[in-house]
Amino acid sequence: AQSVTQLGSHVSVSEGALVLLRCNYSSSVPPYLFWYVQYPNQGLQLLLKYTSAATLVKGINGFEAEFKKSETSFHLTKPSAHMSDAAEYFCAVAFSRGGADGLTFGKGTHLIIQP
Amino acid sequence: DTAVSQTPKYLVTQMGNDKSIKCEQNLGHDTMYWYKQDSKKFLKIMFSYNNKELIINETVPNRFSPKSPDKAHLNLHINSLELGDSAVYFCASSHHPPYEQYFGPGTRLTVT
């Protein structure tokens, strides 16, 4: 069964500093991996996805993530944090059963941006 | 146009009542889902509907029943509401692989 572990329920960085949000996955098959962002009182917005093409994936809002099979990781980074990046971030792995698919989510990381 | 929409956005009701949440997607996707987000923001899949057929039911109490009148709609009916049902419920939709799902804005259900 697939699972996702996000290290750090809260991450605080200064505006302009590097953002690094960690995600490790467990999957019995080559995984499809995703990062979603949730702003307060809103739904989830897809930031980026890994679907077995390039291992370095670029997403929206300047975020990118690198798939490392040897480390079973899919960490999310952004070179320079902006105040508007403050939100909840979720890593997810896709699973498939009986012809349909779903997502298994990590517990989320709350990103705090210090001015 | 909103890709995935849900109504209502907020729902406050008393224990024992029956309520429904509606979801519509205009993306032409063939699979729709319901997720529950608890007070700690943990997201868990409840149901998946593919071509109007229930595929996944993740040990959800049978008080919850999804109903899909067509591929663009997946409604969630909840009978005999309990305090523990208070949560935010998200609808989502997708094509088949690469599995990316698009989420609605959520419905915050409060049971008093």
Side-chain angles (χ1 to χ4, degrees), chain B residues 48-111:
Chain B
S48 169
Y49 247 76
N50 179 277
N51 290 325
K52 298 177 67 175
E53 180 184 359
L54 179 65
I55 302 297
I56 298 172
N57 180 342
E58 292 291 315
T59 64
V60 174
N62 57 15
R63 297 182 295 104
F64 290 79
S65 56
K67 299 261 192 306
S68 180
D70 55 58
K71 281 176 57 174
H73 297 84
L74 181 65
N75 303 324
L76 183 64
H77 298 273
I78 316 169
N79 295 326
S80 302
L81 277 155
E82 301 177 356
L83 291 176
D85 298 332
S86 295
V88 181
Y89 293 85
F90 287 101
C91 178
S93 70
S94 75
H95 281 303
H96 279 297
Y99 302 106
E100 60 200 76
Q101 296 183 15
Y102 293 86
F103 285 77
T107 296
R108 182 175 294 275
L109 172 65
T110 303
V111 182

Side-chain angles (χ1 to χ4, degrees), chain B residues 9-58:
Chain B
K9 188 168 177 62
Y10 299 96
L11 184 54
V12 181
T13 188
Q14 292 183 328
M15 286 176 56
N17 285 349
D18 303 337
K19 290 293 178 184
S20 295
I21 305 172
K22 294 185 176 181
C23 177
E24 177 181 2
Q25 56 97 2
N26 62 7
L27 298 169
H29 290 161
D30 51 19
T31 307
M32 296 183 71
Y33 314 82
W34 279 105
Y35 287 84
K36 179 180 180 180
Q37 186 174 45
D38 64 22
S39 59
K40 296 185 178 180
K41 294 195 177 293
F42 183 59
L43 281 151
K44 187 170 183 181
I45 190 166
M46 299 175 69
F47 300 104
S48 169
Y49 247 76
N50 179 277
N51 290 325
K52 298 177 67 175
E53 180 184 359
L54 179 65
I55 302 297
I56 298 172
N57 180 342
E58 292 291 315

Side-chain angles (χ1 to χ4, degrees), chain A residues 42-80:
Chain A
Q42 294 189 26
L44 280 79
Q45 182 181 9
L46 180 67
L47 274 178
L48 49 79
K49 62 183 181 183
Y50 169 75
T51 57
S52 74
T55 56
L56 183 61
V57 180
K58 294 189 183 300
I60 62 172
N61 301 338
F63 285 93
E64 63 182 36
E66 186 172 9
F67 173 72
K68 292 187 177 181
K69 184 178 179 180
S70 61
E71 298 177 9
T72 62
S73 69
F74 189 56
H75 301 332
L76 181 71
T77 60
K78 181 174 180 177
S80 178

